[in-house]
Amino acid sequence: HVQLVESGGGSSQSGGSLTLSCEASGYTYDSYCMAWFRQAPGKEREGVAAVDFDGSPYYADSAKGRFTISKDKAKHTLSLQMNNLRPEDTAIYYCAAEGILQYVHGAWYPTTSATDYVKWGQGTQVTVS
């Protein structure tokens, strides 16, 4: 039984930092891509950052230079360090697993498309004011 459990959400002022964590269990952790998504009220779920099997990252434009995604293979966790937060970062953040690679501009990257992920956590709220 695959389970993803997020933690670390909360409130921050603009310019602040938060770190999200996702603990994964019940599947082959190193065989698929993992990612963080977010969904703001009235908006579609969007990919924020993803990692491939070896932990190589891929970032959406909104996250570049501010967010860092990382895997801890020993602990089976996925983290998202968020710096310089903005009010537009306010959303429910979801951990996703069992994703695939996408071919972009001649190279393979972990996908940030929600339809390419099979397993999802319950979400954690991030509010920036």
Side-chain angles (χ1 to χ4, degrees):
H1 175 65
V2 176
Q3 190 171 17
L4 302 173
V5 180
E6 300 105 332
S7 61
S11 299
S12 175
Q13 293 185 337
S14 293
S17 299
L18 288 172
T19 300
L20 306 182
S21 183
C22 172
E23 184 173 353
S25 62
Y27 80 110
T28 308
Y29 177 77
D30 291 335
S31 298
Y32 298 93
C33 299
M34 296 185 71
W36 286 98
F37 287 79
R38 66 186 182 187
Q39 189 165 19
K43 294 188 177 181
E44 293 186 356
R45 191 169 297 189
E46 65 169 346
V48 175
V51 290
D52 67 10
F53 326 122
D54 293 327
S56 296
Y58 181 84
Y59 296 96
D61 288 342
S62 60
K64 288 179 181 177
R66 301 189 300 128
F67 295 0
T68 302
I69 189 171
S70 60
K71 287 177 66 173
D72 186 325
K73 293 184 178 182
K75 297 180 180 179
H76 283 199
T77 58
L78 180 73
S79 298
L80 184 68
Q81 173 68 43
M82 303 185 294
N83 297 324
N84 192 20
L85 286 164
R86 306 165 180 167
E88 54 264 39
D89 294 319
T90 296
I92 299 174
Y93 283 70
Y94 297 91
C95 175
E98 296 189 14
I100 60 175
L101 295 170
Q102 59 181 349
Y103 195 70
V104 180
H105 301 306
W108 290 97
Y109 298 97
T111 181
T112 51
S113 174
T115 56
D116 290 333
Y117 285 85
V118 177
K119 302 299 181 182
W120 294 86
Q122 81 287 353
T124 186
Q125 177 71 46
V126 171
T127 303
V128 184
S129 59

